[in-house]
Each structure stands twice: as structure tokens, then as C-alpha cells.
Amino acid sequence: MRSGQIKSIKDISRMENLSPGTPACAGCGGLLSLRHCLKALGEKIVIVNAAGCFTLLSIYPFTPFKSSWLYTSMASAPAGAQGIRDALDILLRKGKLDQKEDLKVVVLTGDGVAYDIGMASTSGALYRKLDFYYICSDNEAYGNTGFQASSATPFASRTGTAPVGADNPVGVTLFKKDLFEIWRSHRPAYLATISPAHPVDLANKFTRAEHYRGPKLFINLSPCPPGWVTDPAYTTRLAKLAVDTGIWALKEAVYGETKHTLIPKKFKPIEEYLRGQGRFSHLFKPVKQEDIIRKIQKNIDWYWERVLEKEAVKE
């Protein structure tokens, strides 16, 4: 076990850097993961929050954060992070800030920013090797403005801008953009996918990321009860099913070299994951759309066949 790595949920820090009672939706998977992320990052951080669900957390004069917090437009969070990082570095260089008082710079966004509107500024920050943490809460749509489709929305999901009806019985007809691979092509210092159902894996990834200077990126699959039309009590169960069915792969990449951190011994059929969500209910009622479900399963199988082939070669 690497230094600082934990084995059990009992080993997760009891320190809380996110206070309870936020305005976030009940059962928000993004909020659950954010709580664990902030435990791992500690108090000495400054948060740059792009417009999205998480901007609802800090509403003057109330805030759940113990750290400083800066609000930006959707497209400019990495630029804000650059300015803060530059200011901290200048103060450190001039001796006006002690190394012990240095802060980690953390960007919080949703998938609408990370996959779409903020892609250009994020790519620029990766190109400049900006030393920052970037956490994308991926609930697979523009969640706080009516659950409109983003390029993170999965194939066949019902959304506010992809309603299901006689003219379109499928919902969204495009497959989700592969943000991990887009970011990986920039060869950032550290890149990972995380899940609220796997807090030990999440905590250990932040511990490993600490060892690298440069961009450190995390994509979190965030079940969204209002948008996914699910019971808030089932958030963790759904997040776990996403991993168990293989539709959400837990992995990391250090300077572009990818490693999967959890490979299920036996994958569950994707139907179990889809059935539990109202956004996919049209795939089962009034008529089961076998061809669409098969198409989703085939896409997952294709991904894991390639992964397992590479793992077999390594052995």
C-alpha cells in the first residue's frame, strides 16, 4: 500500500470541510462526492466555482464551505484558477506568503461546463500545465436549469430538450462524449474518474494526485434524483450499479498512462441500471425497446473487451 493510502471506509477522515444543510437537492450524488473530495483536499484550498448546480451552495450570507470561494461564469473557471495560482506564486516568491500558508486551487464545475462551454479554457489550462485540481460533477445534463441535454448525456436518455414521443421514441440519439480521453490527450499530471459509491477509491486517488504538480482532474458520475427521476435514497445504489454494469469505468491516468482501479469480476447487465431510472422508462414502457437496450450493452461490451485484452497482455 502506498503511503497515505487507505483500505477501508473506516479509514476515511472524520474531518468535515462541507457543512450540512445546503440548498442542493436531496440525494445529490455530486454533493456526496464533493464532501469526500473536500475531506481529502483539506481546509487550505480556494474554490473557483463555475456556474452550475454547485453555485447554489454558497448564497450570501450563507456558505457550507470552510474555504474561500470565488464564483465565475461557466466558461472562465480555469482562467480564474490561473489568476489565483499566479497571485499565490508571486506572494510566495516575494516572501510575503509562507509555504505553510500556500493554498490548493480547486475548480468545481458540472458537465455542461466541463464537456461543453468551458472546454476551451480548460484545454488552455491543461496546455499551460496549470497546477490546480478540477472536479467535474457529471450528472449527464444541465441539471439546475431544467435537465437539458449536454454532450455528457447518454444515448437514449430523456431530457428537457430531448423529449420522448411518437416522433422520437429514443430520447437523446447521440452517445456521450469521452471527456476522459479528450483530457488524457493533453497528458495532464493526473486524471481520474470517481464515484460516490466508492469513497475509498476516491480518497486514494486524491492522495495519489497530491504527489504531482500540474493539472489534476476528476470526473465524478453524480446521480441526480430530479433529472434521473429516481428516489433520493437510491443514489449510492445507482452509482454502484453504474460501476457494476461497466457503464462507468473507475480509472486513472498519470501523464497519460491509463490504469483501471476497479474491474468488476462479473458485469451486471445494463438493463438493471436503466430500469431504475425514470429518464430511461420509455425503453421499457409501453413496449420494451430491445434493440436500443442491446445497442447500449454492445457499446459497453466493446469498451471492456478492449480493456480486458490489454490487461491480459500485461499479465
Side-chain angles (χ1 to χ4, degrees):
M1 187 171 66
R2 296 187 195 180
S3 175
Q5 302 284 291
I6 62 174
K7 289 183 176 178
S8 161
I9 197 168
K10 295 178 182 176
D11 300 324
I12 290 178
S13 171
R14 293 179 180 274
M15 176 182 66
E16 296 287 353
N17 290 317
L18 186 70
S19 300
T22 74
C25 302
C28 173
L31 189 66
L32 179 55
S33 285
L34 180 61
R35 178 185 169 210
H36 290 299
C37 294
L38 296 184
K39 280 172 176 275
L41 288 166
E43 290 186 33
K44 290 185 177 180
I45 62 173
V46 56
I47 293 173
V48 184
N49 201 158
C53 289
F54 284 160
T55 50
L56 301 176
L57 301 183
S58 279
I59 300 175
Y60 183 82
F62 304 106
T63 177
F65 298 114
K66 289 185 177 178
S67 57
S68 299
W69 179 85
L70 173 70
Y71 172 74
T72 72
S73 64
M74 296 186 86
S76 60
Q82 180 76 62
I84 293 169
R85 187 64 263 166
D86 289 349
L88 290 168
D89 288 341
I90 290 169
L91 291 173
L92 288 167
R93 192 166 62 245
K94 290 185 175 180
K96 294 183 177 180
L97 184 68
D98 191 278
Q99 287 287 350
K100 293 180 181 176
E101 299 302 319
D102 191 14
L103 301 172
K104 297 170 183 169
V105 181
V106 181
V107 165
L108 296 182
T109 73
D111 55 271
V113 169
Y115 284 72
D116 297 329
I117 299 171
M119 174 68 81
S121 61
T122 307
S123 177
L126 296 178
Y127 174 70
R128 297 190 303 274
K129 309 298 181 190
L130 174 63
D131 185 27
F132 75 138
Y133 291 79
Y134 186 114
I135 301 170
C136 166
S137 180
D138 182 358
N139 66 358
E140 303 188 317
Y142 289 84
N144 73 334
T145 52
F147 208 72
Q148 299 100 331
S150 76
S151 58
T153 306
F155 173 70
S157 169
R158 181 203 306 266
T159 74
T161 49
V164 174
D167 292 337
N168 176 23
V170 177
V172 170
T173 55
L174 299 173
F175 276 90
K176 180 173 183 170
K177 190 187 286 182
D178 192 342
L179 186 64
F180 186 93
E181 286 301 314
I182 293 171
W183 278 350
R184 192 172 76 89
S185 69
H186 294 71
R187 299 184 70 80
Y190 188 84
L191 166 61
T193 55
I194 54 178
S195 164
H198 293 273
V200 173
D201 177 81
L202 182 158
N204 283 333
K205 283 173 174 169
F206 273 90
T207 300
R208 286 196 286 276
E210 277 188 4
H211 298 294
Y212 303 100
R213 186 172 178 82
K216 294 171 276 285
L217 311 163
F218 299 83
I219 315 171
N220 177 58
L221 183 66
S222 305
C224 169
W228 292 21
V229 195
T230 54
D231 189 320
Y234 294 159
T235 290
T236 307
R237 185 185 302 178
L238 266 177
K240 187 174 185 304
L241 256 180
V243 174
D244 291 345
T245 57
I247 198 169
W248 188 248
L250 288 177
K251 54 190 173 180
E252 63 184 359
V254 177
Y255 296 115
E257 296 297 321
T258 304
K259 173 187 173 185
H260 285 74
T261 57
L262 193 156
I263 299 177
K265 291 181 179 176
K266 185 177 181 181
F267 290 93
K268 293 184 176 179
I270 192 57
E271 190 170 327
E272 284 190 38
Y273 175 72
L274 301 176
R275 271 191 184 278
Q277 304 174 54
R279 61 175 174 160
F280 294 116
S281 61
H282 56 284
L283 299 183
F284 301 94
K285 296 177 182 177
V287 178
K288 188 175 180 182
Q289 299 191 54
E290 298 273 10
D291 55 333
I292 300 299
I293 298 170
R294 198 160 41 243
K295 191 172 181 177
I296 297 170
Q297 185 68 65
K298 188 176 179 181
N299 197 50
I300 296 169
D301 293 345
W302 174 81
Y303 174 86
W304 284 104
E305 281 169 9
R306 292 164 63 216
V307 169
L308 295 175
E309 279 178 10
K310 288 181 182 177
E311 293 293 326
V313 170
K314 287 179 185 176
E315 292 174 358

